[in-house]
Amino acid sequence: MKSFHNIIMTALILSFTFLNAQTSVITVTALPEEFGLITQSFGSIDVEKYSVPAVTDIDGNGLLDILVGDLYGKIIHYVQADSASADFILSDSLFNGIDVGGWASPAFTDLDGNGLKDLLIGNLDGRIHHYQQIYPDSVQFVLVTDFFNSIGVSFNAAPAVADVNRDGLLDLLIGEDFGHIFHYVQNSAFSTDFTLVTGSFNSIDVGFNAAPVLTDLDKDGLIDMFIGNYEGYICHYEQFDAYTFDFVLREQKFNSIDIGYRSKPFFTDIDFNGYSDLLIGENDGNINRYEIQALDSLDFGTLALGQSKILKYVASTSGEEDFLHIESLGDGFEISLTGEEFDYWNYLDIFPNFTGMCSDTVFVRYKPNYSGSVSGSLEHSNSYPDIVSLKIKGNCYLEPPVVNVEIIDTDLVISWETGEYELSYNVYSSDDPYGEFICVAMEVWDSWWSEPLTETKKFYYVTVNDFSQPVNKNKDR
């Protein structure tokens, strides 16, 4: 019996969304552990030095707005040329006349729940400047304070806002020059007053110029925190459990991305295609764009019979749904929600998690039953009649047997290990290991073969016949 190998692969990158005629959206998205570089000069944006992007739709017109902070403390405003376009047009080189003195790092939120956007901008001095939209969908902002909550975090304050532990109070995480994260918590719901919790959130230290951004990239209900740093890398931390402030390091150099110096990440969906875009500001003032690349199948490649390979992706459904049903239609393909060896099935159901989202990571194992090519699909459905299919395919071969050679009396005896899938064996011989080999024995049913010993030096190899189906080798011949 061949040894069993369980190979966990980095997730293939695949995503597509189906919107049915009613209200349910089924989304199949592979874990985004690898983004593809689209361009190092996104939208031809260039602010000369230290670009820090923040994206939102300021005026509610369906076009995204990118505010880019720069080295000189100013905010440059770019507007999407058309809906879902990757082209952006310079709108204002000095957005609302804002000047925070140096190293502007913008972040959007709504602190008091009044429907007006709040713009928090970190600066060189470690302070936070607070601006607020003058009325809904306006591009005009007014200064509220240039010393928000009297916050000072050494140098190069880089704010990010979210309700991390879901207690109804916003958390303000601020990266700073020495690579740490300061954590402030809102005093009460809809308040603009915050209190310092710690100056060393989760003891995180990314070197210098920490610049955090918060998202839920794999839709598992746990917050992912990505932190840019001076070295140009991005560190990935993930919330250990919901309703907590505990985070664990997932990847020191996310995707092996290195943009040079002073990486400033931001996640959005520029072209509304369902694939996350990762925009990264940098020291030279331009914006790098990475995106999850779409594929139309999960390809497990070629395995030896007896081996297995596991790929994983995220399946989710939105709307008023209480389940998502997944069925594997392909020989040798099974699915699991845990990834544990004995927890793979031909079908399963995903139910809403603690956030109310019907979403989970799905492990797909290809453990072939016979050699040859296999294809199939994973069918995703809920209470609506439409189905989203994800193609799956793989290939399998029989490993060559391990061969032993010995001399018994006047015979040369070649023997080999047998397996449960082999039908018979062929033996090949040659006087030259790099020359042509001639078959000297075909369809040998035993685990050995011999010929009289000669003085000529020879080389041998053995191949397997399997006819693409498991065979009982003990059957009568």
Side-chain angles (χ1 to χ4, degrees):
M1 173 75 71
K2 302 290 189 302
S3 60
F4 178 82
H5 300 282
N6 214 25
I7 306 174
I8 302 290
M9 295 291 290
T10 298
L12 287 180
I13 303 170
L14 182 144
S15 174
F16 58 88
T17 301
F18 174 81
L19 175 62
N20 66 31
Q22 301 182 53
T23 61
S24 179
V25 177
I26 296 178
T27 303
V28 179
T29 308
L31 294 180
E33 297 178 3
E34 186 170 336
F35 279 68
L37 176 64
I38 303 299
T39 177
Q40 293 177 313
S41 184
F42 174 67
S44 299
I45 293 173
D46 186 355
V47 298
E48 296 185 9
K49 281 291 185 181
Y50 194 68
S51 54
V52 183
V55 183
T56 189
D57 181 0
I58 294 177
D59 52 7
N61 64 353
L63 302 177
L64 292 177
D65 299 273
I66 298 182
L67 296 188
V68 186
D70 72 359
L71 172 65
Y72 309 104
K74 299 176 176 58
I75 301 293
I76 297 89
H77 179 204
Y78 294 83
V79 179
Q80 198 170 30
D82 292 295
S83 179
S85 172
D87 296 324
F88 280 74
I89 300 170
L90 176 63
S91 176
D92 192 342
S93 60
L94 187 58
F95 182 70
N96 278 269
I98 291 173
D99 184 349
V100 298
W103 304 83
S105 183
F108 284 101
T109 186
D110 182 1
L111 296 173
D112 50 10
N114 64 356
L116 301 177
K117 291 181 174 64
D118 294 282
L119 176 59
L120 302 182
I121 309 175
N123 76 349
L124 173 64
D125 295 331
R127 296 186 177 190
I128 303 293
H129 290 234
H130 176 202
Y131 292 80
Q132 188 177 65
Q133 200 173 32
I134 64 172
Y135 56 83
D137 298 332
S138 173
V139 296
Q140 296 181 20
F141 285 70
V142 294
L143 178 66
V144 178
T145 176
D146 61 1
F147 200 10
F148 182 69
N149 278 267
S150 301
I151 290 172
V153 295
S154 73
F155 304 99
N156 298 338
V161 184
D163 181 1
V164 173
N165 64 339
R166 299 176 177 85
D167 62 352
L169 302 177
L170 293 176
D171 298 281
L172 174 59
L173 300 182
I174 307 174
E176 51 89 49
D177 196 53
F178 298 111
H180 306 121
I181 305 293
F182 279 67
H183 177 204
Y184 291 79
V185 65
Q186 197 174 33
N187 289 354
S188 60
F190 309 123
S191 172
T192 58
D193 295 326
F194 283 72
T195 299
L196 176 65
V197 178
T198 177
S200 183
F201 184 67
N202 278 268
S203 300
I204 289 171
D205 184 350
V206 298
F208 294 97
N209 292 145
V213 64
L214 303 171
T215 187
D216 181 6
L217 205 53
D218 52 6
K219 300 179 182 179
D220 62 353
L222 302 176
I223 293 176
D224 297 281
M225 178 166 56
F226 295 86
I227 309 174
N229 69 2
Y230 176 80
E231 297 295 332
Y233 307 132
I234 296 175
C235 302
H236 177 202
Y237 289 80
E238 187 179 39
Q239 195 174 30
F240 180 75
D241 198 2
Y243 311 108
T244 74
F245 292 121
D246 297 327
F247 280 71
V248 293
L249 178 64
R250 294 304 185 197
E251 195 171 359
Q252 188 71 40
K253 297 179 180 179
F254 179 68
N255 260 261
S256 300
I257 290 174
D258 182 356
I259 53 83
Y261 294 99
R262 296 190 173 96
S263 54
K264 306 294 178 181
F266 192 93
F267 288 91
T268 185
D269 184 1
I270 293 295
D271 46 12
F272 306 117
N273 63 355
Y275 312 136
S276 291
D277 293 280
L278 170 57
L279 303 183
I280 310 175
E282 60 157 281
N283 187 71
D284 289 340
N286 54 291
I287 304 291
N288 300 263
R289 179 191 176 194
Y290 291 77
E291 186 184 47
I292 297 175
Q293 301 298 296
L295 300 175
D296 61 0
S297 67
L298 293 178
D299 189 347
F300 289 78
T302 301
L303 303 180
L305 202 58
Q307 291 183 333
S308 71
K309 180 184 289 186
I310 295 174
L311 303 178
K312 51 186 179 177
Y313 69 97
V314 174
S316 61
T317 181
S318 64
E320 297 179 358
E321 285 302 311
D322 57 1
F323 77 97
L324 175 60
H325 180 75
I326 308 175
E327 186 169 356
S328 175
L329 303 178
D331 193 275
F333 295 96
E334 294 177 309
I335 49 181
S336 170
L337 295 181
T338 66
E340 296 179 2
E341 182 175 346
F342 300 105
D343 190 29
Y344 280 86
W345 312 92
N346 291 322
Y347 63 88
L348 55 81
D349 292 309
I350 298 175
F351 298 97
N353 58 25
F354 55 87
T355 66
M357 177 178 288
C358 194
S359 175
D360 211 335
T361 298
V362 181
F363 298 80
V364 186
R365 182 174 68 186
Y366 174 44
K367 188 177 180 183
N369 298 313
Y370 53 86
S371 64
S373 298
V374 179
S375 61
S377 64
L378 301 177
E379 305 291 314
H380 302 74
S381 61
N382 50 30
S383 59
Y384 295 102
D386 304 286
I387 295 176
V388 170
S389 297
L390 175 60
K391 296 178 183 178
I392 48 179
K393 60 182 179 180
N395 190 49
C396 178
Y397 69 95
L398 278 173
E399 281 190 307
V402 177
V403 175
N404 299 305
V405 179
E406 57 183 331
I407 297 175
I408 300 178
D409 297 329
T410 59
D411 290 330
L412 175 70
V413 179
I414 300 176
S415 60
W416 49 83
E417 296 180 4
T418 61
E420 60 180 307
Y421 302 107
E422 291 87 341
L423 175 65
S424 62
Y425 305 86
N426 301 326
V427 182
Y428 293 80
S429 174
S430 176
D431 297 335
D432 180 1
Y434 303 103
E436 180 181 2
F437 279 74
I438 299 174
C439 184
V440 294
M442 294 183 63
E443 297 187 6
V444 178
W445 287 82
D446 295 310
S447 61
W448 61 273
W449 172 84
S450 67
E451 68 174 358
L453 185 65
T454 67
E455 295 183 358
T456 303
K457 187 175 183 178
K458 291 186 177 182
F459 301 86
Y460 298 86
Y461 72 81
V462 180
T463 62
V464 177
N465 301 313
D466 70 287
F467 296 104
S468 297
Q469 292 291 342
V471 175
N472 182 357
K473 293 175 75 279
N474 295 323
K475 70 178 184 179
D476 295 334
R477 290 179 287 151

